[in-house]
Amino acid sequence: MERYAKQIRFAPIGEEGQRKLQQARVLIAGMGALGTHLANSLARAGVGYLKVIDRDFVELSNLQRQVLYDEEDVEEILPKAIAAQRKLEKINSSIVVEAEVVDISWANVQQHFEGIDLVVDGSDNFELRFLINDCAVKKKIPWIYGGITGSQGMAMVIRPFEGPCLRCIMPKAPTPGSMPTCDTAGVLGPTVQMVTAFQTAEAIKVLTGQDDKVCQGLLNIDLWTSRYEVFDLSKASRPQCPACGQGEFPFLEGREEIQVTPICGSNAVQINPVGEKKLNLQDIARRLASLGEISQNPYLLKFNADGQEMVLFMDGRAMLKGTQDSVKAKSFYSRYVGF
Amino acid sequence: MKILVKLFATFRDNRFVKQEMEFPDDTTVKEVLAVLAIPDEEVAILMVNGRNEEVDHPLKDGDTLSLFPPVGGG
């Protein structure tokens, strides 16, 4: 317990709280900027079991903000989950860290939630967050949303049936290309720390059973304009909410998942978002202008970056040349178009 | 009627943080969005008096309308 002396001295945690943390099992979904900071703090706080999941590998441009990785991981082209696991085991050898190099999808999410007390969001897209929300509500497991772009961040604790879930306040997933992503708007490093500081503090409250102290609002911050606020959500639970009100889980049933299909005979894939979409190609072109080569007509936009060519159509469909790998293609779409 | 409009994250760029605005009775959220030049599809969270509503929701005098874009990176 010496390792945790200062945390135990903090009266609301104490020895009892510390024991609860040691018995806790937490899933970290996504090991990018948010995920690495969350894992770092939760491992140091002594959460006894961490499952870290990510589909990607470590690249040089990650090191500015993804705290668990270093130049050796880049040279070794290590999957993020594996690099994170190695680092976390050095930070705290008394906890168990399990790593999975997979794309979390409707087909495997329930299995990943098995035996988990809390899920913390380290993802970079709303498709995954809506999937996490469906599964968390269905299994009555709390989860903590976090999102960042530029110097702005948002976060919220979701305790199914004890307060609003994500779909109480956001019934529909955002239209692809309707928002800036970390690749188009950039990220100011400390934004990550602030959002994950909130997520970690809330995680500790949830795991030590201090429900009355859990934040009941939506955190909104902008470090560049120095604005920090919590939007009241005490009236936000809705009986008409598709997830916690009506018990409908379309994301969990795979009905809302973006489809990626290889195009026969060529080194390319097609990405199909679900439902009818109308993208604002003008706005998307503006965001992508400084990140690669762009050409455009009223019907489509062609974008070249990282050795890949993407042709994006107004209905949200995209063709990605230079890969047959559906995970890689989805990751490219999520980084540059955003969903 | 008077509506208090609160904007969050990127919606504040070149607009405002919080402003009381005057509209004719029964103005819908969609009409307010048009005045603010915010495309409907860019609104992720739409709250009237702290509760989620649809864009065709008619507003009443004294309502507080809060609008958030999606903040989704990570």
Side-chain angles (χ1 to χ4, degrees):
Chain A
M1 290 294 229
E2 189 194 340
R3 175 193 286 265
Y4 310 113
K6 294 286 191 294
Q7 188 166 278
I8 290 170
R9 191 156 303 156
F10 177 66
I13 294 184
E15 284 195 15
E16 195 197 333
Q18 193 60 49
R19 269 193 296 274
K20 285 182 178 163
L21 291 177
Q22 274 163 295
Q23 285 155 10
R25 298 170 64 87
V26 173
L27 165 63
I28 306 173
M31 288 300 290
L34 294 174
T36 50
H37 278 83
L38 291 165
N40 181 47
S41 320
L42 294 171
R44 287 177 196 275
V47 172
Y49 172 90
L50 294 176
K51 185 190 259 192
V52 298
I53 306 186
D54 196 280
R55 63 187 176 194
D56 214 349
F57 59 90
V58 183
E59 293 173 275
L60 188 62
S61 66
N62 301 149
L63 303 189
Q64 169 245 0
R65 65 202 178 283
Q66 302 188 13
V67 76
L68 293 175
Y69 312 134
D70 58 36
E71 292 175 7
E72 274 176 33
D73 301 327
V74 177
E75 273 166 41
E76 283 187 62
I77 327 173
L78 275 187
K80 288 183 177 178
I82 303 297
Q85 182 188 35
R86 288 187 187 175
K87 203 62 56 72
L88 292 166
E89 282 170 348
K90 281 187 197 164
I91 290 168
N92 192 345
S93 61
S94 71
I95 63 166
V96 176
V97 181
E98 207 180 308
E100 298 246 21
V101 187
V102 292
D103 187 29
I104 303 177
S105 73
W106 66 276
N108 61 26
V109 67
Q110 302 210 51
Q111 163 204 330
H112 292 308
F113 274 49
E114 214 52 60
I116 292 294
D117 301 310
L118 172 75
V119 179
V120 285
D121 172 20
S123 76
D124 65 355
N125 65 81
F126 276 100
E127 186 188 41
L128 180 52
R129 293 189 180 101
F130 276 65
L131 178 64
I132 291 172
N133 190 70
D134 266 11
C135 196
V137 171
K138 190 178 174 201
K139 289 181 170 282
K140 288 189 195 156
I141 295 171
W143 75 281
I144 305 176
Y145 152 64
I148 47 164
T149 32
S151 61
Q152 296 169 339
M154 272 197 208
M156 171 189 176
V157 183
I158 291 111
R159 288 179 302 159
F161 309 106
E162 286 174 49
C165 78
L166 186 66
R167 294 195 76 192
C168 287
I169 65 165
M170 205 188 285
K172 286 191 294 263
T175 308
S178 67
M179 70 193 122
T181 70
C182 289
D183 284 81
T184 59
V187 186
L188 181 72
T191 314
V192 180
Q193 281 139 343
M194 193 125 187
V195 167
T196 54
F198 171 89
Q199 286 177 289
T200 308
E202 295 304 318
I204 292 173
K205 295 178 200 173
V206 171
L207 296 173
T208 55
Q210 312 199 40
D211 293 0
D212 57 324
K213 293 289 185 294
V214 172
C215 177
Q216 309 213 359
L218 177 66
L219 176 77
N220 260 279
I221 57 155
D222 186 340
L223 277 81
W224 212 247
T225 56
S226 315
R227 289 190 169 272
Y228 311 96
E229 57 214 305
V230 175
F231 183 84
D232 180 25
L233 291 177
S234 57
K235 289 182 287 184
S237 289
R238 290 189 306 136
Q240 316 93 300
C241 168
C244 70
Q246 307 289 318
E248 290 163 16
F249 306 112
F251 293 88
L252 198 52
E253 287 152 17
R255 283 190 277 136
E256 295 282 344
E257 189 160 81
I258 287 184
Q259 301 298 318
V260 186
T261 40
I263 299 169
C264 270
S266 67
N267 188 27
V269 294
Q270 172 165 285
I271 296 185
N272 266 319
V274 180
E276 228 173 275
K277 308 284 180 205
K278 195 160 174 270
L279 269 52
N280 186 335
L281 294 178
Q282 219 61 21
D283 271 8
I284 297 171
R286 194 169 33 76
R287 282 189 216 122
L288 294 177
S290 62
L291 301 169
E293 224 178 286
I294 276 200
S295 47
Q296 203 189 348
N297 66 32
Y299 316 101
L300 57 85
L301 179 160
K302 202 181 206 181
F303 174 64
N304 272 287
D306 311 335
Q308 285 201 339
E309 182 182 288
M310 173 178 70
V311 178
L312 183 66
F313 297 87
M314 233 159 56
D315 61 1
R317 211 161 32 84
M319 317 262 276
L320 260 96
K321 290 186 185 161
T323 185
Q324 281 272 343
D325 181 338
S326 66
V327 172
K328 202 170 153 192
K330 218 158 102 176
S331 162
F332 189 91
Y333 190 86
S334 140
R335 287 172 61 179
Y336 290 111
V337 183
F339 57 83
Chain B
M1 63 176 183
K2 285 194 169 69
I3 302 294
L4 180 63
V5 180
K6 291 183 177 178
L7 302 178
F8 292 87
T10 45
F11 287 164
R12 291 173 176 175
D13 300 347
N14 304 316
R15 293 193 190 89
F16 53 84
V17 171
K18 185 162 89 169
Q19 195 170 294
E20 199 171 60
M21 299 177 79
E22 187 76 45
F23 290 99
D25 285 357
D26 296 324
T27 297
T28 63
V29 174
K30 202 178 175 64
E31 288 162 328
V32 175
L33 289 174
V35 170
L36 294 169
I38 296 175
D40 295 8
E41 71 270 12
E42 287 185 17
V43 180
I45 303 176
L46 190 172
M47 308 288 265
V48 177
N49 306 328
R51 288 192 184 88
N52 172 261
E53 295 292 351
E54 300 285 324
V55 284
D56 55 9
H57 179 79
L59 294 161
K60 295 189 308 293
D61 186 45
D63 277 352
T64 299
L65 171 66
S66 306
L67 301 166
F68 304 73
V71 177

